[in-house]
Amino acid sequence: MKSTALDIVIVTYASRDLITHCLDSLFDNEPAVPFRVLVVDNDSPDGTAEAVRSAYPRVEVIARASNDGFAVANNVALRRSTAPYVLVLNPDTRLEPGTIDHLIDVMERDATIGVIGCRLLTADGTLDHAAKRSFPSPVVAAKYFALRLIGRRGSAYVRPDVQETDIADVEAVNGAFMLIRSSALRDVGLLDERYWMYGEDLDWCARFLDQNWRVVYDGRVVAHHLKGGSTDGRRPLKLNYHFHKSMLIFYRDHVSRRNLIADAVVTAGVWMRFAITSALASGEHLVRRSR
């Protein structure tokens, strides 16, 4: 790999501090292969694009004049990519030495892998549940969300059969860290821009599998993911709306059996959950203000 072997794509919005730590971890732990970094900024109000340009001259910054969502911004950079591998990375991630090189080596040795992700650890050192997933059926999703409401984790959605340090085929990895083979990307296509934020990684993995490309979780290496780093806890109303809208897009494209009654029940359940979680978030906000 004499020319650029890896393009690293990072989308930012109001992420000045997060992207600084992310890029520091990348350049402190540079992969052995030649790489290029493309940061796409979604019209941040905090000077993120300017800060990256000033501090990291090796980074190619693409400053957009509007915020049209995560998928749109990633696609801007993905269209420019010419490397055999692309790493889609969130700004709230931190890299460890050797992680990228290990994953590229795994893909070099097995041409059937289209997408690979690693073990993602959250700020408290626990596993990010989205690092290894199955596609959520209505029953599995309902169980997963019910358990979360009472402070527990579980259900087949988070692949409990795959241990944290295993390597295994899964249905989806986390969009915060996705290493993609570019030849597979050409088969599958770019991110679906109907997803403003959330769900686009699940959809993408489903499409890779549809084209007979494997999606693999490799827990032998680690990256860190400060989940929700730019949202400060519970999702704001706009992001919560897009989260639930994305759930329905994914359900209709990949899960629905085209049964009108079942589809109506799922749709009602999703919007009921949106109403409940939005009310809880508003209540918490009022309590914080009263203090």
Side-chain angles (χ1 to χ4, degrees):
M1 298 182 180
K2 294 182 179 179
S3 59
T4 301
L6 173 69
D7 282 327
I8 301 174
V9 174
I10 308 172
V11 170
T12 57
Y13 176 75
S15 307
R16 182 170 178 161
D17 292 337
L18 290 172
I19 189 62
T20 296
H21 294 301
C22 176
L23 291 173
D24 283 346
S25 75
L26 171 61
F27 290 118
D28 287 344
N29 303 294
E30 291 194 13
V33 298
F35 69 97
R36 175 176 63 154
V37 182
L38 300 96
V39 169
V40 184
D41 184 71
N42 267 337
D43 194 28
S44 291
D46 65 346
T48 295
E50 294 79 6
V52 173
R53 281 199 185 101
S54 174
Y56 305 95
R58 292 175 57 185
V59 173
E60 181 178 335
V61 178
I62 305 166
R64 306 194 73 250
S66 59
N67 183 358
D68 299 306
F70 184 75
V72 168
N74 268 292
N75 287 345
V76 169
L78 291 171
R79 290 187 183 97
R80 299 190 183 194
S81 177
T82 57
Y85 294 100
V86 180
L87 176 62
V88 174
L89 195 65
N90 273 16
D92 60 347
T93 54
R94 310 286 186 272
L95 300 177
E96 290 282 345
T99 294
I100 295 175
D101 292 316
H102 169 89
L103 296 175
I104 288 177
D105 184 63
V106 172
M107 296 187 84
E108 285 282 287
R109 293 170 183 271
D110 191 335
T112 66
I113 301 174
V115 180
I116 195 166
C118 67
R119 178 161 38 114
L120 291 175
L121 300 180
T122 60
D124 63 4
T126 58
L127 180 71
D128 179 351
H129 70 276
K132 51 180 180 70
R133 291 176 284 174
S134 295
F135 297 138
S137 68
V139 172
V140 168
K143 179 180 177 182
Y144 171 75
F145 289 126
L147 287 171
R148 291 203 70 179
L149 284 174
I150 60 174
R152 295 174 58 192
R153 295 284 175 88
S155 90
Y157 173 60
V158 295
R159 288 299 300 269
D161 57 310
V162 178
Q163 298 302 306
E164 288 189 23
T165 56
D166 285 352
I167 178 170
D169 284 63
V170 294
E171 290 185 324
V173 294
N174 195 324
F177 186 112
M178 297 177 77
L179 181 63
I180 301 159
R181 189 184 306 274
S182 293
S183 57
L185 177 58
R186 288 191 290 272
D187 284 347
V188 171
L190 300 173
L191 287 162
D192 187 335
E193 296 182 0
R194 292 177 299 163
Y195 294 87
W196 194 85
M197 190 171 179
Y198 304 112
E200 67 289 312
D201 51 354
L202 280 173
D203 170 79
W204 217 9
C205 287
R207 288 159 50 207
F208 277 99
L209 292 173
D210 286 345
Q211 294 296 321
N212 297 314
W213 289 101
R214 291 168 57 208
V215 177
V216 171
Y217 166 79
D218 190 339
R220 298 173 296 180
V221 289
V222 172
H224 302 270
H225 184 205
L226 178 62
K227 297 193 68 172
S230 59
T231 60
D232 192 23
R234 199 179 285 274
R235 294 184 189 94
L237 182 63
K238 179 178 179 179
L239 295 186
N240 198 32
Y241 166 77
H242 281 291
F243 175 78
H244 289 84
K245 179 182 177 182
S246 294
M247 288 172 61
L248 283 177
I249 295 172
F250 182 85
Y251 169 78
R252 291 164 182 167
D253 283 357
H254 301 290
V255 181
S256 172
R257 302 291 180 85
R258 302 300 184 262
N259 180 296
L260 292 178
I261 295 175
D263 289 354
V265 169
V266 170
T267 300
V270 168
W271 290 123
M272 183 180 299
R273 185 183 185 277
F274 166 70
I276 292 170
T277 54
S278 297
L280 289 172
S282 296
E284 289 180 2
H285 178 68
L286 290 174
V287 169
R288 286 196 297 268
R289 287 189 63 183
S290 68
R291 290 174 180 173

